[in-house]
Structures are given as structure tokens and as C-alpha cells.
Amino acid sequence: MIERAHEKGLKIFGATLTPFEGTPFPGYFTPEKEARRKAVNEWIRTGKGFDGVIDSTRQCVIEPSGPDAGGLR
């Protein structure tokens, strides 16, 4: 899809997925989902397809004492 958009002269920006540990929804967060989120974010940040990246993970206020600094405030 990115290539097709580029063929039409469009710029494509990717955005990372924000942390979701500490969500009020019981059972929503799992270590497996967190590993997938991190893998997707790494692909977004390092992939060559995007013209730019909006790193929403780094724009969030992160709880420094949370596990892996992943808890949102």
C-alpha cells in the first residue's frame, strides 16, 4: 500500500503504537501483546517505506517506575 501511494506522489507517515499496560480493561494487557507492540514499533521506526514517523510512544508521559517504563500516567 505504501508503494502504491508513493506511485501516486503521496507522502506516507507511520505512527507507533502507544503503551497500554495499566489499561482499565481487565486482561487486555499481556506480555505477548507488549512484545508484538514493540516489534511493530521497531518496524515502523526502522522500515524504509515511510516518509516520516510520528513516534507517539516517545510523546506519551511514561510512568518511570512502571515495568519497562511502559505504564502511562
Side-chain angles (χ1 to χ4, degrees), residues 2 12-18 36-58:
I2 295 171
I12 302 298
F13 293 83
T16 59
L17 305 174
T18 58
R36 279 184 274 186
R37 183 190 71 80
K38 287 180 176 182
V40 168
N41 285 350
E42 184 65 18
W43 174 80
I44 290 169
R45 289 183 188 113
T46 62
K48 304 296 183 211
F50 295 112
D51 296 294
V53 173
I54 301 162
D55 199 336
S56 52
T57 298
R58 294 187 176 142

Side-chain angles (χ1 to χ4, degrees), residues 3-42:
E3 288 178 15
R4 290 175 65 193
H6 282 154
E7 289 170 5
K8 301 211 182 279
L10 299 173
K11 299 273 186 195
I12 302 298
F13 293 83
T16 59
L17 305 174
T18 58
F20 55 93
E21 185 173 9
T23 180
F25 305 107
Y28 186 74
F29 176 84
T30 66
E32 293 80 16
K33 287 180 185 176
E34 177 65 2
R36 279 184 274 186
R37 183 190 71 80
K38 287 180 176 182
V40 168
N41 285 350
E42 184 65 18

